[in-house]
């Protein structure tokens, strides 16, 4: 039995009040539309037709091509004339026997529910759809049943006729499994004589139910949460974050309350993620890595037993095994910390590699550089990498010692084992094992401090007297 999924994603999404198409708004790191597509692929679908439309259509199509390649095919609904019209447009591109129809704005739908719908269809039905019982069903279409409990149809909220109908708490999740010929026939019957003047996909339910071919499968309330506005976007994302945290917990990761882990992040067992840490954009942490309170990682890779202390921000960076970062460190793109390297508070790195065991523990800017294994970078060291026109490199050899408050004016090289004295401005290469020193000689004047103070106090009193005399 061949099966295709259709994802409806051409609606205006006007309740988002956004220039971005609704289904491209992100929740837990992925655009909304990716969730139903992934659920369908996980449920055994090999081809997904996405119905797109509107002025930003190209952007959505390009995104889906880049992420899913040939598994996903976009078709255009030129005018948003309702979910029924969108389903017709999608179905025109389907040549399978069976189809799943999903909405692009329901990110909490899971593979499990889709498998249940497929199983229900196996029992000789033409259409199975997902429903759920909600305490507050407002905004959803209601499932109408007869006295025996058989499905009669789905009625949209704006088209509800009686108080009894308004009391109904079983709602339509907007997710369907159907046999293609029967669905085509039902869609051909649709009319727009309803409150919104649209073609409702939901009207196929009554038409097929009258032929005894419909079943509703009740699923969890969470699965149907649709994102129509910003508040629902945030609510859906909170549910996704809970789900992702539970998934990692089950796999041996400690995720403290309030940590936010995107859907595409990989964590190995014994990783610990503290409250308020944000792990984003495909970041990976190997066994035993610890990520402290408030740390923000975007596209980063942490090796085994790495420690990231609180409030560090790491972007496009690699931290190798047992290295330590933070608190309050900033690893900008292209930073690589070798095994056991340390970067401490108020250290910023960019396009810089620190070799194994190298340390920069306090207050430094290391940009466009290379620091050899075991080298020590003192507090206040700056790689002066930018001359206002070009970026230049600083290279520090293995085991070199850079004293505090050193400026290295790039391009410059410090050889292996060299020693740069505190407060030096390095403008020339330093050979291996040399001492570099550039400071004005110190002079001490005994007893001068109290004379200096007396002079300054007298000057201050004169100035005060002048102000009073004016
Ligand atoms: C729909 C259902 C409702 C169900 C709810 C569940 C209909 C008529 N109503 O209502 O019974 O309870 O979902 O979330 O189907 N779309 C298009 N083209 C269009 C219109 C919509 O592609 O012309 C897409 C939208 O992008 C969206 C999906 O279809 O992804 C659902 O449309 P939406 O307007 O959000 O329907 P609801 O009012 O939520
Ligand atoms: Ca919706």
């Amino acid at each position: 039995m061949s099966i295709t999924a259709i994802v409806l994603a051409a609606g205006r999404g006007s309740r988002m009040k956004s220039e971005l198409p609704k289904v491209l708004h992100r929740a837990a790191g992925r655009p909304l539309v990716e969730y139903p597509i992934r659920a369908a692929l996980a449920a055994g679908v090999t081809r997904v037709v996405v119905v797109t439309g509107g002025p930003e259509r190209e952007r959505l199509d390009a995104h889906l091509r880049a992420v899913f390649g040939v598994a996903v095919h976009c078709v255009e609904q030129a005018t948003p004339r309702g979910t029924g019209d969108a389903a017709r447009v999608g179905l025109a591109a389907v040549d399978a026997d069976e189809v799943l129809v999903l909405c692009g704005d329901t990110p909490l739908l899971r593979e499990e529910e889709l498998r249940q719908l497929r199983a229900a269809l196996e029992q000789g039905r033409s259409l199975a759809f997902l429903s759920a019982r909600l305490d507050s069903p407002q905004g959803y279409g209601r499932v109408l049943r007869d006295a025996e409990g058989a499905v009669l149809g789905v009625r949209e909220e704006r088209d509800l006729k009686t108080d009894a109908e308004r009391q109904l708490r079983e709602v339509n999740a907007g997710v369907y499994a159907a046999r293609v010929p029967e669905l085509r026939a039902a869609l051909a019957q649709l009319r727009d004589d309803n409150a919104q003047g649209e073609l409702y996909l939901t009207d196929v339910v009554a038409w097929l139910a009258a032929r005894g071919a419909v079943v509703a499968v009740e699923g969890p309330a969470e699965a149907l949460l649709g994102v129509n506005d910003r508040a629902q976007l945030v609510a859906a994302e909170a549910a996704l974050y809970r789900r992702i945290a539970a998934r990692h917990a089950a796999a041996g990761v400690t995720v403290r309350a309030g940590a936010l882990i995107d859907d595409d992040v990989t964590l190995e067992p014994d990783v610990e993620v503290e409250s308020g840490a944000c792990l984003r954009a495909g970041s990976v942490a190997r066994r035993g890595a610890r990520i402290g309170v408030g740390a923000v990682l975007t596209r980063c890779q942490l090796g085994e037993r790495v420690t990231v202390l609180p409030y560090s921000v790491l972007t496009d960076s690699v931290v190798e095994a047992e290295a330590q970062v933070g608190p309050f460190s900033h690893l900008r793109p292209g930073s690589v910390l070798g095994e056991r390297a340390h970067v401490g508070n108020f250290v910023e790195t960019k396009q810089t590699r620190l070799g194994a065991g190298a340390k920069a523990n306090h207050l430094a800017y290391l940009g466009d550089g290379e620091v050899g294994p075991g080298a020590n970078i003192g507090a206040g060291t700056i790689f002066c990498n930018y001359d206002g026109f070009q970026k230049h490199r600083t290279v520090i050899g293995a085991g070199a010692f850079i004293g505090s408050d050193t400026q290295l004016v790039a391009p410059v090289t410090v050889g292996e084992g060299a020693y740069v004295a505190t407060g030096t401005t390095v403008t020339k290469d330093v050979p291996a094992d040399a001492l570099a020193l550039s400071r004005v000689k110190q002079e001490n004047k005994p007893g001068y401090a109290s004379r200096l103070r007396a002079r300054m106090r007298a000057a201050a009193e004169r100035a005060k007297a002048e102000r009073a005399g004016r």
Side-chain angles (χ1 to χ4, degrees):
M1 176 75 79
S2 59
I3 172 153
T4 294
I6 299 174
V7 175
L8 310 182
R12 275 177 295 250
S14 51
R15 288 166 278 183
M16 294 295 280
K17 301 189 168 62
S18 175
E19 286 177 7
L20 188 69
K22 172 168 83 174
V23 297
L24 278 184
H25 281 260
R26 282 172 188 269
R30 293 191 197 280
L32 294 172
V33 70
E34 284 190 25
Y35 290 98
I37 294 175
R38 281 172 197 279
L41 294 172
V45 167
T46 48
R47 183 163 176 269
V48 181
V49 172
V50 183
V51 182
T52 61
E56 296 289 321
R57 172 173 185 262
E58 262 311 310
R59 192 161 163 184
L60 177 53
D61 293 5
H63 176 84
L64 294 175
R65 256 197 312 280
V67 175
F68 296 104
V70 293
V72 171
H73 173 76
C74 293
V75 294
E76 183 179 12
Q77 183 193 23
T79 1
R81 290 194 294 150
T83 50
D85 180 63
R88 276 185 192 168
V89 170
L91 206 59
V94 171
D95 59 6
D97 313 306
E98 188 187 324
V99 72
L100 290 172
V101 183
L102 323 175
C103 292
D105 62 354
T106 52
L108 292 164
L109 179 74
R110 291 169 311 178
E111 161 195 356
E112 286 93 304
E113 284 94 48
L114 296 178
R115 287 191 188 279
Q116 282 168 23
L117 288 181
R118 290 195 65 190
L121 207 60
E122 301 289 296
Q123 279 137 43
R125 308 293 183 143
S126 302
L127 180 91
F129 70 100
L130 190 68
S131 75
R133 277 172 210 282
L134 301 185
D135 292 333
S136 27
Q138 284 70 36
Y140 293 96
R142 309 295 207 286
V143 179
L144 310 179
R145 292 178 183 268
D146 67 15
E148 276 74 53
V151 172
L152 291 174
V154 169
R155 189 156 293 152
E156 289 309 290
E157 171 143 295
R158 293 205 237 179
D159 299 290
L160 293 174
K161 292 188 180 113
T162 63
D163 277 341
E165 284 178 3
R166 284 183 200 97
Q167 302 298 313
L168 295 172
R169 295 198 299 125
E170 189 187 4
V171 305
N172 169 33
V175 183
Y176 316 80
R179 304 217 171 278
V180 169
E182 285 89 333
L183 183 61
R184 268 193 228 283
L187 284 171
Q189 310 296 320
L190 293 184
R191 294 174 42 195
D192 61 2
D193 52 351
N194 52 53
Q196 302 187 72
E198 290 186 349
L199 296 176
Y200 286 167
L201 173 56
T202 43
D203 288 347
V204 303
V205 176
W207 195 80
L208 289 168
R211 285 150 186 82
V214 172
V215 63
V217 174
E218 199 178 317
E222 194 180 80
L224 65 87
L225 192 83
V227 173
N228 297 315
D229 57 32
R230 307 271 179 158
Q232 286 171 328
L233 175 71
V234 174
E237 180 173 67
L240 283 168
Y241 277 136
R242 279 195 297 277
R243 208 181 257 184
I244 294 164
R247 184 172 85 213
H248 288 298
V253 175
T254 298
V255 181
R256 305 275 176 212
L260 302 179
I261 302 171
D262 278 359
D263 195 47
D264 59 359
V265 165
T266 305
L267 304 176
E268 290 188 355
D270 279 329
V271 165
E272 287 182 33
V273 187
E274 297 293 336
S275 300
C278 297
L279 310 189
R280 298 181 171 148
S283 292
V284 176
R286 301 285 170 214
R287 262 179 190 277
R290 290 182 301 146
I291 299 149
V293 172
V296 181
L297 274 64
T298 309
R299 287 179 299 278
C300 286
Q301 292 173 48
L302 305 187
E304 293 189 2
R305 294 177 302 284
V306 159
T307 303
V308 176
L309 293 167
Y311 303 108
S312 297
V313 177
L314 289 70
T315 307
D316 292 300
S317 295
V318 176
V319 184
E320 291 169 3
E322 291 175 29
Q324 183 175 312
V325 177
F328 302 104
S329 302
H330 189 185
L331 268 52
R332 291 171 51 208
S335 299
V336 179
L337 303 193
E339 292 185 9
R340 288 169 285 101
H342 280 199
V343 161
N345 45 191
F346 310 111
V347 172
E348 174 182 342
T349 63
K350 187 217 72 176
Q351 291 291 343
T352 289
R353 189 188 159 85
L354 270 73
K359 291 189 172 63
N361 276 332
H362 337 262
L363 303 157
Y365 173 60
L366 313 178
D368 302 303
E370 174 89 38
V371 176
N376 194 310
I377 308 286
T381 295
I382 309 282
F383 288 5
C384 308
N385 60 326
Y386 186 49
D387 59 14
F389 296 90
Q390 290 186 74
K391 303 282 171 64
H392 302 281
R393 287 182 64 73
T394 298
V395 178
I396 295 182
F401 180 92
I402 310 297
S404 297
D405 195 24
T406 292
Q407 304 103 56
L408 294 127
V409 183
V412 73
T413 298
V414 175
E416 273 188 36
Y419 194 109
V420 176
T422 292
T424 295
T425 301
V426 181
T427 51
K428 290 187 294 207
D429 289 353
V430 181
D433 201 36
L435 168 71
L437 176 70
S438 79
R439 327 169 166 142
V440 176
K441 274 235 153 43
Q442 183 171 333
E443 194 186 344
N444 289 341
K445 299 188 174 182
Y448 201 96
S450 48
R451 274 182 277 151
L452 185 66
R453 280 194 202 96
R455 216 163 70 204
M456 292 191 294
R457 190 175 300 118
E461 275 161 13
R462 270 199 310 280
K464 194 174 165 191
E466 257 173 49
R467 278 198 302 277
R470 250 191 268 139

